[in-house]
């Protein structure tokens, strides 16, 4: 199944710094979502951006979407140690609203 | 927010046995549920889409006789790994769509089940 690519695969930053993760996909989408996963746990929905939107904010999160380049980015500002987790983008496409996950970025925020 | 309960969280079984994993939407009715499999340090791979009252739709390469999915009610879907083998060991996650969130949104995940087959 089609799967998005995320980069970087791993990111290590100091607490207080900003973290940027990118996601590229291959087909047209209805919307794109970002999720967070702590090790060995389920996924937590962070933010959804629709295909006709270009930018969206939620607290310390900022998501952009460029449908012409088929890419999205997630920015976490003023990172905290508790932000340490894996982050996945997921595209929703087609009439059946199929959800396909990217490869994920493992973020480590060092206190 | 909406809650999806997945049980058990961890199961260890002998090779050849069958294991059932339950996924329940606790405060909404989910006409569609999804089952994913995740290998260590990898992304989630969609296994199948479970629709209430009808047969599940399996992704290419997923054995439907191996991974039995039943979505008998609007709040419960089950995944049964039949005749489990060590290569079936993995992290399985379910998700359920809350139709009240509108098209494409409202996908909530269970906490996952770590299956270890000895």
């Amino acid at each position: 199944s089609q799967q998005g690519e995320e980069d970087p695969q791993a990111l290590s930053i100091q607490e207080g710094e900003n973290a940027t993760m990118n996601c590229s996909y291959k087909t047209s989408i209805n919307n794109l979502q970002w999720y967070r996963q702590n090790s060995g746990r389920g996924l937590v929905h962070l933010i959804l951006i629709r295909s006709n939107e270009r930018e969206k904010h939620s607290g310390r999160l900022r998501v952009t979407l460029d449908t012409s380049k088929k890419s999205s980015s997630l920015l976490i500002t003023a990172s905290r140690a508790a932000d340490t987790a894996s982050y996945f983008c997921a595209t929703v496409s087609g009439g059946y609203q199929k959800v396909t996950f990217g490869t994920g970025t493992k973020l480590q925020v060092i206190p | 927010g909406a809650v999806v309960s997945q049980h058990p969280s961890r199961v260890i079984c002998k090779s050849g046995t069958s294991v059932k994993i339950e996924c329940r939407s606790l405060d909404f009715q989910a006409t569609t549920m999804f089952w994913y499999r995740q290998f260590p340090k990898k992304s989630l791979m969609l296994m199948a889409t479970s629709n209430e009252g009808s047969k599940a739709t399996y992704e290419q390469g997923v054995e439907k006789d191996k991974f039995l999915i039943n979505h008998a009610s609007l709040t419960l879907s089950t995944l049964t790994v039949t005749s489990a083998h060590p290569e079936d060991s993995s992290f399985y996650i379910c998700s359920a769509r809350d139709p009240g969130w509108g098209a494409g949104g409202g996908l909530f995940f269970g906490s996952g089940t770590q299956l270890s087959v000895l």
Side-chain angles (χ1 to χ4, degrees):
Chain A
S1 58
Q2 176 254 332
Q3 190 172 52
E5 295 288 328
E6 292 184 58
D7 75 274
Q9 290 186 343
L11 179 61
S12 182
I13 59 174
Q14 295 289 329
E15 197 167 33
E17 293 180 338
N18 296 340
T20 300
M21 291 160 264
N22 302 295
C23 168
S24 60
Y25 55 92
K26 298 177 182 177
T27 64
S28 61
I29 62 172
N30 300 334
N31 64 66
L32 185 144
Q33 303 177 31
W34 285 89
Y35 290 85
R36 166 195 169 124
Q37 183 183 36
N38 287 78
S39 181
R41 304 295 297 276
L43 275 73
V44 175
H45 180 266
L46 295 177
I47 196 167
L48 179 154
I49 186 166
R50 302 190 188 282
S51 59
N52 61 352
E53 297 177 312
R54 292 295 168 260
E55 187 171 313
K56 204 160 185 180
H57 297 252
S58 177
R60 294 185 294 114
L61 305 180
R62 172 178 170 255
V63 169
T64 62
L65 178 65
D66 187 335
T67 53
S68 65
K69 295 181 180 178
K70 291 187 169 54
S71 67
S72 174
S73 68
L74 170 67
L75 169 67
I76 304 175
T77 60
S79 64
R80 305 167 182 169
D83 294 329
T84 295
S86 291
Y87 292 83
F88 294 90
C89 69
T91 56
V92 180
S93 58
Y96 292 102
Q97 308 291 342
K98 183 176 177 179
V99 180
T100 307
F101 283 85
T103 51
T105 295
K106 189 169 184 178
L107 172 66
Q108 181 184 26
V109 181
I110 302 168
Chain B
V3 178
V4 174
S5 173
Q6 186 173 340
H7 178 81
S9 59
R10 181 178 294 272
V11 59
I12 301 172
C13 68
K14 293 182 179 180
S15 187
T17 60
S18 294
V19 175
K20 180 184 284 188
I21 303 170
E22 292 188 348
C23 181
R24 293 180 184 274
S25 57
L26 297 185
D27 53 1
F28 65 96
Q29 293 183 328
T31 54
T32 305
M33 291 186 174
F34 303 90
W35 288 95
Y36 293 84
R37 180 174 181 175
Q38 185 179 32
F39 292 100
K41 300 181 180 180
K42 297 292 184 181
S43 186
L44 283 75
M45 298 298 295
L46 178 65
M47 299 175 64
T49 301
S50 170
N51 296 298
E52 187 268 338
S54 64
K55 292 183 179 180
T57 303
Y58 289 81
E59 294 299 303
Q60 190 174 5
V62 178
E63 299 176 60
K64 58 182 65 177
D65 295 329
K66 174 75 171 175
F67 300 99
L68 300 179
I69 291 173
N70 184 282
H71 193 159
S73 78
L74 287 172
T75 59
L76 174 65
S77 176
T78 60
L79 168 67
T80 301
V81 183
T82 62
S83 187
H85 289 102
E87 57 264 30
D88 298 326
S89 297
S90 190
F91 192 62
Y92 294 86
I93 306 177
C94 73
S95 68
R97 174 164 287 133
D98 183 348
W101 278 61
L107 195 64
F108 297 93
F109 284 80
S111 54
T113 297
Q114 181 64 53
L115 171 63
S116 299
V117 184
L118 305 177

